[in-house]
């Protein structure tokens, strides 16, 4: 029972962090949001994010750079 509570507590912390990160990302435009969400929350590599979004590697890193500049944290 104790270990189940510990696991539930940790999951609650992870869920809260996920929600906090997602809330910060929603201030971005849709392409920036999608790219950063896929990388930081869905744990895809940048190469996969680029392929999923039909970007070149150079293009996805330019989008990433703009998105990071637009984040107001």
């Amino acid at each position: 029972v104790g270990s189940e509570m510990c696991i539930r507590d940790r999951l609650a912390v992870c869920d809260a962090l996920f929600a906090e990160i997602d809330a910060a990302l929603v201030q971005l435009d849709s392409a920036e949001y999608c790219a950063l969400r896929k990388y930081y929350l869905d744990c895809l590599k940048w190469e996969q994010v680029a392929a999923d979004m039909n970007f070149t590697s150079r293009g996805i890193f330019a989008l990433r750079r703009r998105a990071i500049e637009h984040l107001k944290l």
Side-chain angles (χ1 to χ4, degrees):
V1 175
S3 63
E4 286 180 26
M5 288 181 64
C6 183
I7 291 169
R8 269 189 262 127
D9 291 346
R10 288 182 183 191
L11 284 174
V13 169
C14 289
D15 288 344
L17 287 171
F18 190 97
E20 184 179 343
I21 294 166
D22 193 54
L25 296 180
V26 297
Q27 64 185 293
L28 301 172
D29 74 30
S30 62
E32 292 171 346
Y33 170 84
C34 185
L36 268 58
R37 188 182 198 301
K38 284 177 177 282
Y39 182 77
Y40 290 108
L41 298 179
D42 297 339
C43 302
L44 297 180
K45 295 180 184 240
W46 281 115
E47 294 80 12
Q48 185 61 50
V49 175
D52 287 356
M53 297 179 67
N54 295 315
F55 275 80
T56 63
S57 291
R58 185 176 182 172
I60 203 68
F61 286 115
L63 179 68
R64 176 195 170 275
R65 187 172 44 256
R66 284 192 310 274
I68 297 297
E69 289 172 359
H70 292 150
L71 278 175
K72 294 175 177 67
L73 302 176

